Amino acid sequence: DVKVTQSSRYLVKRTGEKVFLECVQDMDHENMFWYRQDPGLGLRLIYFSYDVKMKEKGDIPEGYSVSREKKERFSLILESASTNQTSMYLCASSPSGLSYEQYFGPGTRLTVT
Amino acid sequence: AQKITQTQPGMFVQEKEAVTLDCTYDTSDQSYGLFWYKQPSSGEMIFLIYQGSYDEQNATEGRYSLNFQKARKSANLVISASQLGDSAMYFCAMRDGGAQKLVFGQGTRLTINP
């Protein structure tokens, strides 16, 4: 089975802190994604990567950056956390191709106080 | 730009009844894929079913089927004989031919009553 793991299920950080969210997949997928999920807004794409060291902005990249140094690992970085970044963060991976579904990690619920 | 619309924020259904969750989409591409995911209260996203734009038959996976009406740009999820365990958030998503990313709808919260 494909497995996508995220470093934390719950995280509490203070305003202004630098926050790292880690995601690892074990199926050699080319593509990896970071979403945030907020009630009534569905999942919104923050960044994605289709290859090592490659990244593209999603719909809401402001305040975030990413890093993909190895194929299996995709990190989301909040340079200076703010309260409006309190949310559920979901990582996903997929092979390339139109019909392939994305496989999701369990999510990290981040609270910024 | 792609867009997915789920117009039902919440639905309440009696156990064993069939359920239809609505999804409409907007794209100018001829080649695209439509996906449905389930998210129980535990939070994980579970892939349910996929429909390709060129597939002539509606997709089915066990109790799940996708009512694909291309001209109307709708891709409704049908759950037959609902069960208590079907209570969850359901998301419709689309990928068009040129991209690897998915665009998600706002979701529908389904509650199955005993």
Side-chain angles (χ1 to χ4, degrees), chain A residues 10-21 36 38 63-64 76-89 108-113:
Chain A
Y10 300 94
L11 207 53
V12 180
K13 295 292 182 181
R14 293 194 179 277
T15 302
E17 280 192 81
K18 190 170 187 176
V19 181
F20 293 87
L21 301 182
R36 67 176 280 176
D38 301 287
Y64 304 95
L76 179 69
I77 304 156
L78 287 66
E79 295 289 343
S80 178
S82 63
T83 55
N84 63 12
Q85 292 178 311
T86 292
S87 186
M88 171 70 87
Y89 290 86
T108 295
R109 186 166 294 281
L110 173 67
T111 302
V112 183
T113 62

Short mmCIF file of all heavy atoms in Angstrom, two decimals, chain A residues 10-21 36 38 63-64 76-89 108-113:
data_model
loop_
_atom_site.label_atom_id
_atom_site.label_comp_id
_atom_site.label_asym_id
_atom_site.label_seq_id
_atom_site.Cartn_x
_atom_site.Cartn_y
_atom_site.Cartn_z
N TYR A 10 -0.64 16.96 15.37
CA TYR A 10 -1.03 18.22 15.99
C TYR A 10 0.23 19.02 16.30
O TYR A 10 1.25 18.46 16.72
CB TYR A 10 -1.80 17.98 17.29
CG TYR A 10 -3.07 17.18 17.09
CD1 TYR A 10 -3.08 15.81 17.25
CD2 TYR A 10 -4.26 17.82 16.74
CE1 TYR A 10 -4.24 15.07 17.05
CE2 TYR A 10 -5.42 17.09 16.54
CZ TYR A 10 -5.40 15.72 16.70
OH TYR A 10 -6.55 15.00 16.51
N LEU A 11 0.11 20.35 16.08
CA LEU A 11 1.26 21.22 16.30
C LEU A 11 0.73 22.56 16.80
O LEU A 11 -0.24 23.09 16.25
CB LEU A 11 2.00 21.41 14.97
CG LEU A 11 3.48 21.72 14.96
CD1 LEU A 11 4.27 20.72 15.78
CD2 LEU A 11 3.98 21.74 13.52
N VAL A 12 1.36 23.09 17.85
CA VAL A 12 1.01 24.40 18.35
C VAL A 12 2.26 25.27 18.30
O VAL A 12 3.29 24.90 18.87
CB VAL A 12 0.45 24.34 19.79
CG1 VAL A 12 0.10 25.75 20.27
CG2 VAL A 12 -0.77 23.44 19.85
N LYS A 13 2.17 26.40 17.63
CA LYS A 13 3.30 27.31 17.49
C LYS A 13 2.88 28.73 17.84
O LYS A 13 1.68 29.06 17.82
CB LYS A 13 3.84 27.26 16.05
CG LYS A 13 4.42 25.92 15.65
CD LYS A 13 5.69 25.63 16.40
CE LYS A 13 6.30 24.31 15.96
NZ LYS A 13 7.56 24.01 16.72
N ARG A 14 3.87 29.54 18.12
CA ARG A 14 3.60 30.95 18.45
C ARG A 14 3.78 31.82 17.20
O ARG A 14 4.56 31.50 16.29
CB ARG A 14 4.53 31.41 19.55
CG ARG A 14 4.30 30.74 20.89
CD ARG A 14 5.00 31.49 22.00
NE ARG A 14 4.77 30.87 23.29
CZ ARG A 14 3.69 31.09 24.03
NH1 ARG A 14 2.75 31.92 23.61
NH2 ARG A 14 3.56 30.51 25.19
N THR A 15 3.08 32.91 17.19
CA THR A 15 3.20 33.89 16.11
C THR A 15 4.66 34.29 15.92
O THR A 15 5.37 34.57 16.90
CB THR A 15 2.37 35.14 16.43
OG1 THR A 15 1.00 34.75 16.61
CG2 THR A 15 2.45 36.15 15.30
N GLY A 16 5.10 34.29 14.67
CA GLY A 16 6.46 34.68 14.36
C GLY A 16 7.45 33.54 14.29
O GLY A 16 8.56 33.72 13.78
N GLU A 17 7.07 32.37 14.78
CA GLU A 17 7.97 31.22 14.73
C GLU A 17 8.10 30.70 13.30
O GLU A 17 7.17 30.83 12.50
CB GLU A 17 7.46 30.07 15.61
CG GLU A 17 7.76 30.23 17.09
CD GLU A 17 7.49 28.93 17.85
OE1 GLU A 17 8.38 28.05 17.82
OE2 GLU A 17 6.42 28.81 18.46
N LYS A 18 9.24 30.08 13.02
CA LYS A 18 9.42 29.38 11.75
C LYS A 18 8.95 27.94 11.96
O LYS A 18 9.36 27.27 12.92
CB LYS A 18 10.88 29.42 11.32
CG LYS A 18 11.13 28.93 9.90
CD LYS A 18 12.56 29.25 9.47
CE LYS A 18 12.79 28.91 7.99
NZ LYS A 18 14.13 29.30 7.53
N VAL A 19 8.09 27.48 11.05
CA VAL A 19 7.47 26.17 11.23
C VAL A 19 7.80 25.28 10.03
O VAL A 19 7.72 25.73 8.87
CB VAL A 19 5.94 26.30 11.36
CG1 VAL A 19 5.30 24.93 11.57
CG2 VAL A 19 5.58 27.24 12.51
N PHE A 20 8.17 24.05 10.32
CA PHE A 20 8.46 23.07 9.27
C PHE A 20 7.45 21.94 9.36
O PHE A 20 7.29 21.32 10.41
CB PHE A 20 9.86 22.49 9.44
CG PHE A 20 10.97 23.46 9.20
CD1 PHE A 20 11.44 24.27 10.23
CD2 PHE A 20 11.56 23.58 7.95
CE1 PHE A 20 12.47 25.18 10.02
CE2 PHE A 20 12.59 24.48 7.74
CZ PHE A 20 13.04 25.28 8.77
N LEU A 21 6.78 21.65 8.26
CA LEU A 21 5.91 20.49 8.17
C LEU A 21 6.54 19.54 7.15
O LEU A 21 6.81 19.94 6.01
CB LEU A 21 4.50 20.88 7.72
CG LEU A 21 3.76 21.89 8.61
CD1 LEU A 21 2.36 22.14 8.06
CD2 LEU A 21 3.69 21.43 10.05
N ARG A 36 -4.04 23.23 2.25
CA ARG A 36 -4.64 23.54 3.53
C ARG A 36 -6.14 23.40 3.41
O ARG A 36 -6.72 23.67 2.35
CB ARG A 36 -4.24 24.92 4.05
CG ARG A 36 -4.71 26.12 3.31
CD ARG A 36 -4.30 27.40 4.02
NE ARG A 36 -5.19 27.73 5.15
CZ ARG A 36 -5.02 28.75 5.98
NH1 ARG A 36 -3.99 29.57 5.82
NH2 ARG A 36 -5.85 28.97 6.97
N ASP A 38 -9.79 24.34 5.21
CA ASP A 38 -10.54 25.19 6.13
C ASP A 38 -12.03 24.96 5.91
O ASP A 38 -12.45 24.75 4.76
CB ASP A 38 -10.19 26.66 5.92
CG ASP A 38 -8.69 26.92 6.13
OD1 ASP A 38 -8.27 26.89 7.29
OD2 ASP A 38 -7.98 27.16 5.14
N GLY A 63 3.09 33.47 2.13
CA GLY A 63 3.41 33.14 3.51
C GLY A 63 4.02 31.75 3.69
O GLY A 63 4.36 31.36 4.81
N TYR A 64 4.14 31.02 2.57
CA TYR A 64 4.67 29.65 2.61
C TYR A 64 5.83 29.51 1.63
O TYR A 64 5.91 30.22 0.64
CB TYR A 64 3.59 28.65 2.22
CG TYR A 64 2.34 28.68 3.04
CD1 TYR A 64 1.23 29.43 2.61
CD2 TYR A 64 2.24 27.96 4.22
CE1 TYR A 64 0.07 29.47 3.35
CE2 TYR A 64 1.07 27.99 4.96
CZ TYR A 64 0.00 28.75 4.52
OH TYR A 64 -1.16 28.78 5.28
N LEU A 76 6.99 21.72 3.86
CA LEU A 76 6.28 23.00 3.82
C LEU A 76 6.84 23.86 4.94
O LEU A 76 6.96 23.40 6.08
CB LEU A 76 4.78 22.81 4.00
CG LEU A 76 3.93 24.07 3.98
CD1 LEU A 76 3.92 24.69 2.58
CD2 LEU A 76 2.50 23.77 4.44
N ILE A 77 7.18 25.10 4.62
CA ILE A 77 7.81 26.00 5.59
C ILE A 77 6.97 27.25 5.74
O ILE A 77 6.60 27.89 4.74
CB ILE A 77 9.23 26.37 5.12
CG1 ILE A 77 10.06 25.09 4.90
CG2 ILE A 77 9.91 27.28 6.16
CD1 ILE A 77 11.19 25.25 3.94
N LEU A 78 6.64 27.56 6.98
CA LEU A 78 6.01 28.83 7.29
C LEU A 78 7.11 29.71 7.87
O LEU A 78 7.60 29.47 8.97
CB LEU A 78 4.89 28.66 8.31
CG LEU A 78 3.59 28.00 7.84
CD1 LEU A 78 3.77 26.54 7.44
CD2 LEU A 78 2.52 28.14 8.91
N GLU A 79 7.56 30.68 7.11
CA GLU A 79 8.72 31.48 7.48
C GLU A 79 8.49 32.25 8.78
O GLU A 79 9.38 32.34 9.62
CB GLU A 79 9.07 32.44 6.36
CG GLU A 79 9.53 31.76 5.07
CD GLU A 79 10.90 31.11 5.19
OE1 GLU A 79 11.66 31.45 6.14
OE2 GLU A 79 11.24 30.25 4.36
N SER A 80 7.31 32.78 8.96
CA SER A 80 6.96 33.52 10.17
C SER A 80 5.47 33.30 10.41
O SER A 80 4.63 33.98 9.82
CB SER A 80 7.27 35.01 9.98
OG SER A 80 6.89 35.75 11.13
N ALA A 81 5.17 32.31 11.25
CA ALA A 81 3.79 31.87 11.40
C ALA A 81 2.89 33.01 11.89
O ALA A 81 3.28 33.82 12.74
CB ALA A 81 3.73 30.69 12.37
N SER A 82 1.68 33.01 11.34
CA SER A 82 0.68 33.99 11.76
C SER A 82 -0.60 33.25 12.13
O SER A 82 -0.81 32.10 11.73
CB SER A 82 0.41 35.00 10.64
OG SER A 82 -0.14 34.34 9.52
N THR A 83 -1.46 33.92 12.88
CA THR A 83 -2.68 33.27 13.36
C THR A 83 -3.59 32.83 12.21
O THR A 83 -4.32 31.85 12.33
CB THR A 83 -3.45 34.18 14.33
OG1 THR A 83 -3.70 35.43 13.68
CG2 THR A 83 -2.65 34.42 15.61
N ASN A 84 -3.53 33.55 11.10
CA ASN A 84 -4.39 33.15 9.98
C ASN A 84 -3.86 31.93 9.22
O ASN A 84 -4.46 31.49 8.23
CB ASN A 84 -4.64 34.32 9.01
CG ASN A 84 -3.38 34.83 8.35
OD1 ASN A 84 -2.33 34.19 8.41
ND2 ASN A 84 -3.46 35.98 7.72
N GLN A 85 -2.76 31.38 9.69
CA GLN A 85 -2.26 30.13 9.14
C GLN A 85 -2.65 28.93 10.00
O GLN A 85 -2.25 27.80 9.72
CB GLN A 85 -0.74 30.19 8.96
CG GLN A 85 -0.34 31.17 7.87
CD GLN A 85 1.17 31.29 7.71
OE1 GLN A 85 1.91 31.46 8.69
NE2 GLN A 85 1.63 31.19 6.47
N THR A 86 -3.46 29.18 11.02
CA THR A 86 -4.05 28.10 11.78
C THR A 86 -5.00 27.32 10.86
O THR A 86 -5.92 27.90 10.30
CB THR A 86 -4.82 28.64 12.99
OG1 THR A 86 -3.89 29.19 13.93
CG2 THR A 86 -5.63 27.54 13.66
N SER A 87 -4.74 26.03 10.69
CA SER A 87 -5.49 25.26 9.70
C SER A 87 -5.07 23.80 9.78
O SER A 87 -4.17 23.41 10.51
CB SER A 87 -5.20 25.80 8.29
OG SER A 87 -6.02 25.18 7.32
N MET A 88 -5.77 22.97 8.97
CA MET A 88 -5.36 21.59 8.74
C MET A 88 -4.52 21.58 7.46
O MET A 88 -4.96 22.12 6.43
CB MET A 88 -6.58 20.69 8.57
CG MET A 88 -6.25 19.28 8.10
SD MET A 88 -5.39 18.31 9.34
CE MET A 88 -6.81 17.64 10.21
N TYR A 89 -3.35 20.96 7.54
CA TYR A 89 -2.46 20.89 6.39
C TYR A 89 -2.36 19.42 5.94
O TYR A 89 -2.06 18.53 6.73
CB TYR A 89 -1.09 21.44 6.72
CG TYR A 89 -1.11 22.93 6.91
CD1 TYR A 89 -1.41 23.49 8.14
CD2 TYR A 89 -0.87 23.78 5.83
CE1 TYR A 89 -1.48 24.88 8.30
CE2 TYR A 89 -0.92 25.15 5.98
CZ TYR A 89 -1.23 25.70 7.22
OH TYR A 89 -1.30 27.06 7.37
N THR A 108 -1.89 17.45 9.34
CA THR A 108 -1.33 18.10 10.52
C THR A 108 -2.24 19.27 10.88
O THR A 108 -2.46 20.16 10.05
CB THR A 108 0.09 18.64 10.26
OG1 THR A 108 0.97 17.55 10.01
CG2 THR A 108 0.58 19.44 11.47
N ARG A 109 -2.78 19.23 12.08
CA ARG A 109 -3.59 20.37 12.53
C ARG A 109 -2.67 21.34 13.24
O ARG A 109 -2.17 21.04 14.33
CB ARG A 109 -4.73 19.90 13.43
CG ARG A 109 -5.67 21.05 13.79
CD ARG A 109 -6.97 20.57 14.39
NE ARG A 109 -7.79 19.82 13.46
CZ ARG A 109 -8.56 20.36 12.52
NH1 ARG A 109 -8.57 21.66 12.35
NH2 ARG A 109 -9.30 19.60 11.74
N LEU A 110 -2.46 22.47 12.62
CA LEU A 110 -1.56 23.50 13.14
C LEU A 110 -2.36 24.62 13.79
O LEU A 110 -3.30 25.15 13.17
CB LEU A 110 -0.69 24.07 12.01
CG LEU A 110 0.18 25.27 12.38
CD1 LEU A 110 1.27 24.86 13.36
CD2 LEU A 110 0.79 25.90 11.13
N THR A 111 -1.99 24.94 15.00
CA THR A 111 -2.57 26.08 15.70
C THR A 111 -1.46 27.09 15.97
O THR A 111 -0.43 26.73 16.54
CB THR A 111 -3.21 25.66 17.02
OG1 THR A 111 -4.22 24.68 16.76
CG2 THR A 111 -3.85 26.86 17.72
N VAL A 112 -1.70 28.33 15.53
CA VAL A 112 -0.73 29.40 15.77
C VAL A 112 -1.36 30.38 16.75
O VAL A 112 -2.44 30.92 16.50
CB VAL A 112 -0.35 30.12 14.46
CG1 VAL A 112 0.71 31.20 14.74
CG2 VAL A 112 0.16 29.13 13.43
N THR A 113 -0.69 30.54 17.90
CA THR A 113 -1.26 31.41 18.94
C THR A 113 -0.48 32.71 19.07
O THR A 113 0.66 32.82 18.63
CB THR A 113 -1.25 30.69 20.29
OG1 THR A 113 0.11 30.39 20.65
CG2 THR A 113 -2.03 29.38 20.23
#
